[in-house]
């Protein structure tokens, strides 16, 4: 697993200023690169199969129109690519606090779907508490939960340590807790599962520290 640079280069694929967090507030999460070779966006009026699985809780407010795929901003910094991941999955780091990592991962999934990625191409992993969707589905039993994984027809959410979760073209990791040992194991494992794109949402300083100590 390549070491992410001390100051990760983040590519923001949606134009607009980056907000500086004010005291007591969390800054908007930078959005990820859709990834190499996105599929054409579905036509208007297409079936709702492209929506990611619903999760318990209040419905999210309607989102404004999203340009897909967005053009690169002139002079925008590019994601770090090392010889190890250059021939495999592209690595994208999205800075986020521990308690905002899942929200950042959800935003990443939304943008990936908007850019034309099929839901079945995306796997979301968490290092701490389970994603609300996974916790909800597991309440109906593991058999039903893993049957959805095996069907591979929608976005799937799992614990980063779940060995049964197989690879997909795009893997999104929310570093939302867990020990340094868990994180150090989860990131290389996620890279191995990612076919073309790995998106990591978390604290860059902690991620660099963990990977540096285990390099």
């Amino acid at each position: 697993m390549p070491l992410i640079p001390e100051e990760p280069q983040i590519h923001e694929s949606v134009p607009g200023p980056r907000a500086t967090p004010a005291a007591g507030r969390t800054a908007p999460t930078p959005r990820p690169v859709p990834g190499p070779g996105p599929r054409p966006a579905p036509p208007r009026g297409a079936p709702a199969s492209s929506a990611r699985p619903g999760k318990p809780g209040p419905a999210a407010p309607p989102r404004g129109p999203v340009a897909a795929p967005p053009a690169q901003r002139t002079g925008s910094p590019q994601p770090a690519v090392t010889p190890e991941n250059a021939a495999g999955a592209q690595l994208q780091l999205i800075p986020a606090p521990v308690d905002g990592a899942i929200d950042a991962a959800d935003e990443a999934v939304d943008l990936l779907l908007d850019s034309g990625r099929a839901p079945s191409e995306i796997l979301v992993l968490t290092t701490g508490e389970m994603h609300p969707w996974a916790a909800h589905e597991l309440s109906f039993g593991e058999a039903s939960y893993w049957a959805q994984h095996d069907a591979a027809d929608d976005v799937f959410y799992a614990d980063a340590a779940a060995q049964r979760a197989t690879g997909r073209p795009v893997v999104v990791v929310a570093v939302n807790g867990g020990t340094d040992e868990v994180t150090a194991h989860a990131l290389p494992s996620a890279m191995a599962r990612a076919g073309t794109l790995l998106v990591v949402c978390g604290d860059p300083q902690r991620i660099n520290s963990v990977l540096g100590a285990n390099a």
Side-chain angles (χ1 to χ4, degrees):
M1 177 71 187
L3 174 64
I4 301 173
E6 287 299 324
E7 296 183 359
Q9 300 292 304
I10 306 303
H11 175 76
E12 298 182 36
S13 53
V14 175
R18 294 179 60 182
T20 300
R25 290 195 294 175
T26 302
T29 304
R31 295 191 159 195
V33 177
R39 296 188 176 184
R44 288 182 178 273
S49 60
S50 62
R52 59 187 171 88
K55 61 181 179 181
R63 303 187 310 122
V66 177
Q72 291 188 354
R73 197 185 306 175
T74 302
S76 296
Q78 298 298 312
V81 177
T82 69
E84 289 186 14
N85 66 25
Q90 177 183 344
L91 178 61
Q92 176 80 37
L93 173 63
I94 299 180
V98 171
D99 59 358
I102 285 183
D103 288 339
D106 285 343
E107 280 196 33
V109 170
D110 285 341
L111 184 62
L112 289 162
L113 294 174
D114 289 340
S115 72
R117 284 284 181 185
S120 60
E121 294 182 308
I122 304 171
L123 171 67
V124 180
L125 303 174
T126 55
T127 62
E129 291 185 5
M130 284 191 170
H131 188 282
W133 181 89
H136 176 72
E137 293 303 318
L138 276 170
S139 69
F140 298 105
E142 288 200 12
S144 172
Y145 171 75
W146 287 110
Q148 296 182 65
H149 168 271
D150 296 339
D153 56 6
D154 216 333
V155 180
F156 192 77
Y157 300 78
D159 187 282
Q163 296 184 355
R164 185 169 173 180
T166 57
R168 292 194 178 187
V170 181
V171 176
V172 180
V173 181
V175 184
N176 64 324
T179 64
D180 287 349
E181 182 180 358
V182 168
T183 302
H185 175 76
L187 297 182
S189 175
M191 174 62 84
R193 291 172 177 172
T196 59
L197 177 64
L198 173 64
V199 180
V200 181
C201 306
D203 177 6
Q205 184 175 0
R206 182 189 178 202
I207 292 170
N208 286 332
S209 174
V210 169
L211 293 180
N214 292 271

